[in-house]
Amino acid sequence: MRVLFVSQEISYEPHGIMFLSAMLKQAGHDVSLTVANVEDPVAHAVAYQPDILAYSVLTGSQRGYFNLNQRIRQAVNPLRESAGKPGVFSVFGGPHPTFFPEMINEPGVDGVCIGEGEGAMVDLANALASRNGSFKTEIPNWWFNVDGEIIKNPVRPLIHELSALPHPDRDLIYSAHPYHGQSKIKYFMTSRGCPYSCTYCFNHAYYQLYKREKRGHQRDVDELISEVQAVRSRWPLELVVFIDDLMIVYNDWLEEFAEKWSTKVGLPFFCNVRADLIVRDPRKVELLKKAGAATVSMGIEAANDRIRVDLLKRRMTQEDIITCGQMFRAAGIHIQATNILGIPTSTLENDLETMRLNSAARVSYAHGWLFQPYPGTELGQFTEEKHLMAGTLDDIGEVAWDHSILVFPSEDDRRQREHFQRLFALGVEFPRLEGLILKLIKLPHNKLVDTVFWWFHKLHKGFAIYFRVYPFRPGPIELVKTALHFMRIKS
């Protein structure tokens, strides 16, 4: 089968698509990728003539993908029909379809994949390759729309032996989007899953699908290192970014990693940490330092204890957060932080408290996102039950820093929260600007103000990442390419 993955944009290397492609190719199928902000996806599809159209969808982007799918089908299907072939089969996977599989009723949606997709996608491609007018629809993880009949299948067990998976197909991404292949920064995963149940995260709902499953599995250290070495042998690589949540949880794994990474790889890296784990076991900082960590990222999310502990279920103290930040800075490791602004039942003063807590923790760069009531999350459900959501799922933005769809006490409050998001990181870095920020966020929403605030946000973020996160200095040409890519992506 010919499988075409369609993406609106690629900000960072999409591991889901890369693993699916590797599995499909291993099973003998042909795979291609088109990126809509790089080329005309309809023209690519017409030239490639796919049997399957595949989309990985986040909440907020679904409507755009539905429209894009219809455009491609309208261009491709007449050609297939004239050649005596069945119409192209359109499938959707990722977070939004997993928690809202009812999207199977949308026009042009033939299949929705729930949960992990590697085995499910290969089974579907195999089934469609052997069909003679029809195909076997009893495939775990899939909902199908067959001539108006909705077929719902259960999920299969999670993949436990992650090291048995083929390495992600980077050729697919780097061919379609050369910037990522040329970049000296590459993204990797050491694990899947997370043992925590933060209410703003899909994790809790995910394990409702996979009941009695262990909440997280890690890759073999040697197999991880072999992937990194294989990538470095083919493409530029000077900074490794580990994007998963589980990396520092288990000390036996971390000890092995620190020993082998420092001797066999020797590259600086970025990873995620959790403040309470670090404070309870300071040796984790030593191990990360030994391995070569350049920057770590921790979730602060909110300073107010009621919001952080009771509402978000982030059971750690402000003292934990401050101590964690100071420990890493003392070790010579930069620390980023993630924060959620405009949380239901919060106030502007609560968001200011979060800004001050980031400063106290000596955060090198503080990301601030506007809360979005994502489907399937406990906090999303809370927002809906309390009638605090103004609009529907289709009103959620593609990115979590565009606008809020919460009900606020007034439009002035909404506007100030949205403006504050753009200036949040500046306030963390320069606490003395708080008074000025409080005046600036009272400005109206208009093209001039919004554009100026966008530039403040982008330029400061780019500066902080360039001088702190990167352990190397890109050359002039690479710097220009990086800046252009950074300005183009929605993040």
Side-chain angles (χ1 to χ4, degrees):
M1 301 297 286
R2 298 173 70 79
V3 182
L4 176 61
F5 286 97
V6 182
S7 182
Q8 292 177 345
E9 73 168 24
I10 294 182
S11 304
Y12 308 101
E13 295 163 358
H15 275 70
I17 291 176
M18 295 188 329
F19 273 114
L20 293 175
S21 177
M23 290 285 287
L24 286 164
K25 288 181 176 179
Q26 188 179 71
H29 301 287
D30 193 84
V31 183
S32 184
L33 167 70
T34 180
V35 184
N37 71 340
V38 174
E39 64 175 350
D40 180 357
V42 177
H44 183 109
V46 168
Y48 182 66
Q49 284 296 300
D51 301 297
I52 301 173
L53 289 171
Y55 306 88
S56 181
V57 182
L58 298 172
T59 298
S61 66
Q62 69 272 15
R63 191 56 52 189
Y65 277 113
F66 293 153
N67 295 335
L68 184 54
N69 177 55
Q70 290 286 57
R71 286 172 50 210
I72 295 176
R73 288 168 67 95
Q74 289 167 6
V76 170
N77 278 344
L79 299 174
R80 293 182 62 84
E81 290 168 9
S82 65
K85 297 179 180 179
V88 66
F89 201 86
S90 297
V91 297
F92 292 72
H96 187 77
T98 291
F99 300 115
F100 269 80
E102 295 81 8
M103 61 178 279
I104 191 66
N105 294 299
E106 288 284 338
V109 178
D110 298 307
V112 168
C113 183
I114 300 170
E116 281 186 334
E118 285 88 355
M121 194 67 182
V122 171
D123 287 350
L124 174 64
N126 290 342
L128 291 175
S130 62
R131 71 173 168 172
N132 183 16
S134 63
F135 71 102
K136 180 183 177 182
T137 58
E138 293 77 28
I139 306 176
N141 292 63
W142 284 106
W143 284 22
F144 294 115
N145 187 332
V146 181
D147 298 326
E149 178 188 0
I150 306 303
I151 298 166
K152 304 177 182 180
N153 294 299
V155 296
R156 67 191 71 201
L158 288 172
I159 298 170
H160 298 167
E161 295 297 328
L162 300 180
S163 295
L165 292 170
H167 290 168
D169 182 9
R170 295 176 188 270
D171 275 315
L172 182 79
I173 305 302
Y174 300 163
S175 297
H177 207 299
Y179 165 80
H180 292 288
Q182 297 163 4
S183 172
K184 295 177 181 178
I185 304 170
K186 302 287 190 296
Y187 296 76
F188 297 82
M189 295 186 71
T190 74
S191 64
R192 286 187 183 181
C194 176
Y196 300 101
S197 296
C198 304
T199 59
Y200 54 86
C201 180
F202 72 92
N203 196 50
H204 173 74
Y206 194 69
Y207 286 103
Q208 292 300 309
L209 294 173
Y210 292 102
K211 294 179 180 178
R212 296 181 295 277
E213 285 274 13
K214 180 184 175 183
R215 291 193 171 199
H217 297 86
Q218 285 190 288
R219 295 173 65 184
D220 177 78
V221 172
D222 289 329
E223 195 273 331
L224 169 66
I225 288 175
S226 74
E227 182 193 351
V228 175
Q229 290 173 331
V231 170
R232 183 162 58 171
S233 70
R234 294 190 59 192
W235 295 287
L237 181 58
E238 294 190 24
L239 173 65
V240 168
V241 177
F242 293 118
I243 59 177
D244 51 295
D245 298 312
L246 202 66
M247 182 170 169
I248 72 158
V249 172
Y250 303 111
N251 270 10
D252 55 349
W253 189 94
L254 193 57
E255 288 170 357
E256 182 183 358
F257 170 82
E259 184 66 35
K260 293 181 176 179
W261 185 269
S262 58
T263 57
K264 296 183 178 181
V265 179
L267 287 173
F269 63 89
F270 170 106
C271 69
N272 294 304
V273 300
R274 187 175 161 103
D276 54 338
L277 292 182
I278 293 297
V279 173
R280 285 203 302 266
D281 188 357
R283 187 161 179 267
K284 293 182 187 292
V285 178
E286 298 175 17
L287 291 171
L288 290 171
K289 176 71 174 178
K290 175 182 177 180
T295 305
V296 298
S297 177
M298 71 170 168
I300 292 178
E301 316 309 359
N304 180 271
D305 292 337
R306 175 190 67 84
I307 295 171
R308 187 184 63 260
V309 177
D310 298 335
L311 196 59
L312 303 184
K313 293 186 178 177
R314 299 275 298 173
R315 295 186 172 92
M316 60 187 71
T317 66
Q318 291 191 23
E319 290 73 20
D320 286 341
I321 292 168
I322 293 170
T323 301
C324 177
Q326 292 174 343
M327 288 169 66
F328 277 109
R329 294 303 293 272
I333 299 173
H334 280 293
I335 185 160
Q336 290 187 169
T338 58
N339 302 270
I340 307 175
L341 309 174
I343 295 170
T345 74
S346 72
T347 65
L348 177 60
E349 178 58 32
N350 294 145
D351 289 345
L352 289 166
E353 291 171 8
T354 301
M355 183 179 75
R356 296 169 195 141
L357 180 58
N358 277 256
S359 294
R362 298 185 63 200
V363 168
S364 305
Y365 182 76
H367 297 274
W369 290 288
L370 291 167
F371 170 75
Q372 302 292 339
Y374 289 121
T377 65
E378 188 177 332
L379 193 53
Q381 184 177 352
F382 170 88
T383 306
E384 190 171 4
E385 290 174 351
K386 298 296 183 181
H387 306 291
L388 295 174
M389 188 167 77
T392 67
L393 292 177
D394 286 340
D395 297 310
I396 295 177
E398 289 186 59
V399 291
W401 40 84
D402 186 14
H403 66 281
S404 174
I405 67 166
L406 292 193
V407 174
F408 288 92
S410 68
E411 282 304 309
D412 284 345
D413 191 35
R414 175 194 302 279
R415 184 185 68 252
Q416 290 183 45
R417 301 289 196 99
E418 291 174 347
H419 282 336
F420 183 68
Q421 183 275 327
R422 298 297 194 193
L423 304 175
F424 176 80
L426 278 169
V428 171
E429 177 136 5
F430 306 106
R432 292 183 180 181
L433 291 180
E434 182 174 321
L436 176 61
I437 288 172
L438 287 173
K439 293 178 181 178
L440 289 174
I441 63 176
K442 294 180 181 178
L443 292 172
H445 263 314
N446 58 48
K447 187 173 183 179
L448 175 61
V449 171
D450 292 347
T451 300
V452 170
F453 284 178
W454 183 88
W455 276 102
F456 272 144
H457 172 71
K458 277 282 187 177
L459 290 175
H460 176 243
K461 182 177 181 179
F463 172 87
I465 291 174
Y466 178 77
F467 284 102
R468 296 166 193 163
V469 176
Y470 291 173
F472 63 90
R473 292 289 171 264
I477 295 176
E478 184 180 2
L479 180 60
V480 170
K481 289 180 179 178
T482 301
L484 291 174
H485 172 72
F486 180 66
M487 289 299 176
R488 272 173 64 181
I489 63 176
K490 295 183 176 71
S491 59

